[in-house]
């Protein structure tokens, strides 16, 4: 019981400890707040700019969820397609990997040519950067159905579709929910990158403007807000994973 | 009597076999309706391949496979299968796992939703027959390996198949559980007129359960010996300790040893 409590407390202790250490180092070495502001300074800045930060953060969240939603829908569909056909899988894998290797910052200008500055580039950047892990995980879950299980159903006259929907898709769910944790963080990074380069609102845009104006505390405050929101979104998807696919953790099947 | 499963002079090469050596060659075997046939042979000799040929999961390169009077050109749709690995779906309860074949096979497929209660009762009846009364609501991972294997037998039988294929179903179980399941199998076979093909490497299992035991050669596999088992039914586990039984097992062992040496 003791170790369980310790485990639950550890994240808080480590986080608080990290910021205390940071504060101490800043004060002990009298580091200029232009180089590295102390957490207390950043916190003050967060408070000072709270309305501006809230406005832009909400915009960023909105972009992230839109892009993430697209990635989930597209990722599920493509993953199901790749998982159920070895031919399509083999054929499209190099394309997918190649596409995934392109730094998405480099794609933003193209999105601006196509759609102009606004909400479309951040949403699409979030989408483009985050669908890949979903596709790969869903495809893997479906493609690794035990051959015996497949034989049992095929001997009864089951079609490929029956097998994919009755076994493949439910089996892929732990993989799918696992990939959401990765995908949401990626989508978030994507929307911030998109906003930095092709939007007039959002935390990304705020960062660009604040750094151009050398408003160092505001830059740091924006970063902290980003980090906190990132942790919250990750926690939500992790919770969804646990509550949706409890059977995968209790059975031996490793997700 | 017309054979129920008639495999005639079949040679099969897997499309993905690297060396192009057939898995089975000139394989001929006839199994009568309602018969309990056991197939024994060294590992890799093509026993599972024979199963796949008889159920239409693979098609022979040469020769013919006739099941229930029809040449097999597609999965046969009347077979139930169970393997060494129980392959229960962990997100379904045991009863829902057992009902899975009904979601595929007509006419049950279209009736299942409306007559769910009737089918659940049937699944529970089967569970009782295999000694799992009242365990249907549990998830497979809450059951032991032997219990999962029992449930897997129920799944193989729920749609009342005319042909039951068992591929080393008790291979992963301890010997006590295995002998219990022999008796379950014996009683299931006695209770319904189903043709059973049991693949096993346990010669005692084959001798205790089967009406006829077929010995296969090493790869490429074909039948090298066929032995009628004449012990009267219902058989009691005690017969496995009689000298006649030991003699039969010994004889089968001789065939297998020869088959392995020939390879
Ligand atoms: N899907 C497959 N593709 C290629 N070769 C296979 C395949 N399945 C089985 N084989 C080969 O066919 C031979 C017989 O296999 P199998 O019927 O599974 O043997 P058994 O069940 O008697 O151990 C083996 O040598 C095996 O390597
Ligand atoms: Mg085998």
């Amino acid at each position: 019981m003791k170790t369980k409590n310790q485990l639950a407390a550890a994240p808080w202790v480590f986080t608080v400890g990290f910021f205390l250490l940071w504060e101490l180092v800043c004060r002990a070495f009298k580091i200029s707040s232009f180089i590295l502001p102390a957490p207390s300074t950043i916190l003050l800045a967060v408070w000072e700019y709270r309305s501006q930060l809230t406005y832009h953060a909400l915009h960023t969240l909105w972009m992230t969820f839109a892009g993430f939603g697209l990635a989930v829908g597209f990722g599920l569909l493509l993953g199901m397609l790749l998982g159920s056909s070895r031919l399509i899988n083999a054929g499209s894998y190099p394309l997918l990997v190649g596409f995934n290797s392109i730094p998405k910052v480099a794609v933003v200008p193209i999105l601006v040519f196509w759609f102009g500055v606004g909400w479309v580039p951040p949403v699409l950047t979030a989408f483009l950067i985050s669908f890949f892990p979903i596709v790969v995980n869903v495809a893997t879950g479906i493609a690794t159905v035990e051959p015996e299980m497949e034989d049992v159903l095929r001997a009864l006259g089951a079609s490929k579709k029956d097998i994919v929907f009755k076994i493949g898709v439910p089996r892929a769910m732990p993989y799918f929910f696992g990939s959401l944790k990765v995908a949401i963080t990626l989508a978030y990074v994507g929307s911030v990158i998109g906003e930095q380069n092709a939007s007039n609102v959002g935390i990304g845009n705020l960062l660009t403007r604040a750094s151009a104006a050398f408003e160092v505390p505001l830059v740091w405050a924006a970063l902290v807000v980003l980090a906190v929101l990132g942790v919250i979104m990750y926690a939500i998807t992790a919770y969804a994973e646990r509550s949706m696919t409890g059977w995968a953790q209790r059975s031996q099947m490793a997700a | 009597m017309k054979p129920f499963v008639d495999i005639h002079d079949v040679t099969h090469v897997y499309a993905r076999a690297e060396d192009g050596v057939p898995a089975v060659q000139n394989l001929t075997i006839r199994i009568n309706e309602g018969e309990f046939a056991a197939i024994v042979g060294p590992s890799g000799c093509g026993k599972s391949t024979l199963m796949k040929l008889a159920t239409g999961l693979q098609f022979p390169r040469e020769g013919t496979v006739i099941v229930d009077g029809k040449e097999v050109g597609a999965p046969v749709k009347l077979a139930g299968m169970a393997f060494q690995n129980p392959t229960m779906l962990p997100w379904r309860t045991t009863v829902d796992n057992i009902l899975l074949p009904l979601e595929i096979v007509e006419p049950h497929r279209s009736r299942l939703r409306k007559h769910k209660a009737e089918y659940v009762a049937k699944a529970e009846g089967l569970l009782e027959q295999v000694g799992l009364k009242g365990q249907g609501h549990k998830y497979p991972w809450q059951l032991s390996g032997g219990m999962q294997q029992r449930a897997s037998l129920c799944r193989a039988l729920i749609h009342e198949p005319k042909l039951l294929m068992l591929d080393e179903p008790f291979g992963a179980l301890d010997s006590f559980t295995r002998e219990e399941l022999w008796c379950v199998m014996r009683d299931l076979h006695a209770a319904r007129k189903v043709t059973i093909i049991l693949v096993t490497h346990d010669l005692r299992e084959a001798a205790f359960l089967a009406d006829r035991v077929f010995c296969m050669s090493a790869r490429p596999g074909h039948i090298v010996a066929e032995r009628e088992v004449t012990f009267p039914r219902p058989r009691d586990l005690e017969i496995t300790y009689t000298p006649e039984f030991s003699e039969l097992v010994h004889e089968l062992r001789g065939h297998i040893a020869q088959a392995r040496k020939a390879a």
Side-chain angles (χ1 to χ4, degrees):
Chain A
M1 222 46 221
K2 181 163 160 259
T3 45
K4 204 174 167 193
N5 284 338
Q6 279 177 343
L7 270 181
W12 302 101
V13 174
F14 277 53
T15 311
V16 171
F18 171 78
F19 284 105
L20 275 181
L21 191 69
W22 179 353
E23 183 80 35
L24 276 177
V25 168
C26 283
R27 293 197 179 199
F29 298 98
K30 301 206 165 32
I31 297 173
S32 145
S33 72
F34 194 73
I35 308 285
L36 178 69
S40 53
T41 318
I42 298 174
L43 215 61
L44 274 176
V46 170
W47 181 250
E48 189 181 332
Y49 298 108
R50 62 187 179 280
S51 59
Q52 209 180 340
L53 284 169
T54 315
Y55 170 71
H56 289 289
L58 283 178
H59 186 267
T60 303
L61 279 183
W62 187 208
M63 298 294 101
T64 306
F65 284 129
F68 177 68
L70 283 178
V72 168
F74 179 75
L76 268 175
L77 286 180
L78 190 59
M80 271 153 64
L81 194 65
L82 294 195
S84 37
S85 159
R86 286 239 308 258
L87 185 74
I88 299 180
N89 195 341
S92 59
Y93 225 75
L95 279 175
L96 265 176
V97 172
F99 180 78
N100 190 49
S101 315
I102 300 174
K104 297 304 171 292
V105 197
V107 181
V108 180
I110 299 176
L111 294 176
V112 177
F113 297 153
W114 287 351
F115 303 105
V117 168
W119 61 271
V120 184
V123 170
L124 284 186
T125 317
F127 160 67
L128 291 175
I129 205 172
S130 64
F131 77 84
F132 187 74
I134 303 180
V135 171
V136 172
N137 277 277
V138 172
T140 308
I142 294 177
T144 51
V145 167
E146 293 86 348
E148 287 104 342
M149 193 67 234
E150 217 175 315
D151 282 352
V152 167
L153 293 197
R154 281 211 305 138
L156 298 169
S159 63
K160 187 81 202 171
K161 191 172 134 242
D162 286 331
I163 293 173
V164 168
F165 282 100
K166 295 227 179 283
I167 305 179
V169 171
R171 189 177 185 290
M173 283 301 109
Y175 296 82
F176 168 68
F177 280 102
S179 73
L180 291 191
K181 288 189 295 195
V182 182
I184 188 89
T185 12
L186 285 176
Y188 191 45
V189 170
S191 62
V192 172
I193 291 176
E195 286 168 352
Q196 277 190 301
N197 297 285
S199 172
N200 295 321
V201 267
I203 294 272
N205 173 255
L206 183 67
L207 270 172
T208 312
R209 282 187 290 126
S211 52
F214 288 99
E215 290 188 58
V216 178
L218 180 55
V219 171
W220 284 90
L223 288 181
V224 166
V225 169
L226 278 179
V228 170
L229 290 179
V231 170
I232 293 173
M233 284 193 280
Y234 182 92
I236 292 172
T237 44
Y239 175 78
E241 178 187 13
R242 265 203 313 277
S243 48
M244 299 302 287
T245 56
W247 57 264
Q249 270 131 45
R250 270 164 288 164
S251 70
Q252 290 97 333
M253 190 187 128
Chain B
M1 193 180 193
K2 250 180 57 182
F4 187 72
V5 175
D6 184 357
I7 297 180
H8 183 71
D9 203 18
V10 160
T11 299
H12 183 66
V13 187
Y14 279 102
R16 271 191 279 159
E18 274 129 32
D19 45 9
V21 177
V24 296
Q25 193 158 32
N26 305 117
L27 173 71
T28 297
I29 183 170
R30 286 198 182 82
I31 293 154
N32 298 322
E33 184 145 23
E35 189 174 25
F36 198 136
I39 293 167
V40 295
S43 180
C45 71
K47 302 183 294 295
S48 300
T49 307
L50 190 159
M51 292 278 179
K52 288 182 190 161
L53 289 165
T55 46
L57 294 172
Q58 291 281 336
F59 309 115
R61 168 181 287 194
E62 284 165 37
T64 50
V65 179
I66 296 172
V67 175
D68 199 17
K70 288 182 283 291
E71 180 153 1
V72 174
V76 290
K77 301 194 180 184
L78 45 68
M81 300 180 101
F83 300 89
Q84 175 168 342
N85 173 357
T87 61
M88 295 273 116
L89 303 174
W91 59 88
R92 287 174 171 241
T93 62
T94 302
V95 160
D96 285 337
N97 263 292
I98 294 173
L99 294 180
L100 181 65
L102 303 180
E103 295 172 23
I104 307 293
V105 187
E106 294 292 0
H108 310 294
R109 185 178 187 140
S110 17
R111 292 185 74 234
L112 185 61
R113 210 181 283 265
K114 276 206 185 124
H115 303 79
K116 183 85 192 252
E118 170 192 324
Y119 285 112
V120 168
K122 190 169 166 189
E124 271 160 4
L126 269 171
L127 279 170
E128 188 172 349
Q129 275 182 49
V130 301
L132 281 183
K133 190 174 180 195
Q135 312 269 13
H137 63 281
K138 290 193 178 157
Y139 284 91
W141 35 268
Q142 296 173 309
L143 304 179
S144 71
M147 288 155 94
Q148 287 189 36
Q149 199 53 266
R150 288 167 203 252
S152 151
L153 285 175
C154 295
R155 184 183 63 195
L157 288 168
I158 186 80
H159 57 295
E160 296 181 4
K162 291 169 105 175
L163 182 61
L164 182 58
M165 294 289 193
L166 306 172
D167 194 345
E168 304 191 12
F170 313 131
L173 304 176
D174 63 89
S175 57
F176 296 109
T177 312
R178 201 180 312 159
E179 289 185 359
E180 265 170 45
L181 281 169
W182 291 356
C183 298
V184 167
M185 234 20 268
R186 171 197 66 194
D187 298 338
L188 285 173
H189 179 240
R192 50 187 73 218
K193 278 272 128 261
V194 54
T195 309
I196 303 184
I197 303 183
L198 166 74
V199 162
T200 176
H201 49 233
D202 184 341
L203 300 176
R204 292 177 65 240
E205 179 171 303
F208 176 69
L209 284 170
D211 299 315
R212 260 192 306 167
V213 181
F214 298 86
C215 300
M216 272 178 93
S217 70
R219 187 184 184 198
H222 55 101
I223 305 295
V224 289
E226 176 189 326
R227 175 70 155 77
E228 198 101 13
V229 183
T230 49
F231 301 118
R233 291 180 184 275
R235 296 173 190 166
D236 191 279
L237 262 183
E238 285 303 315
I239 69 159
T240 63
Y241 301 101
T242 58
E244 293 85 355
F245 191 87
S246 308
E247 204 174 302
L248 171 61
V249 171
H250 197 199
E251 183 194 324
L252 292 173
R253 208 182 162 281
H255 290 304
I256 300 290
Q258 222 166 25
R260 291 184 50 166
K261 216 168 21 194

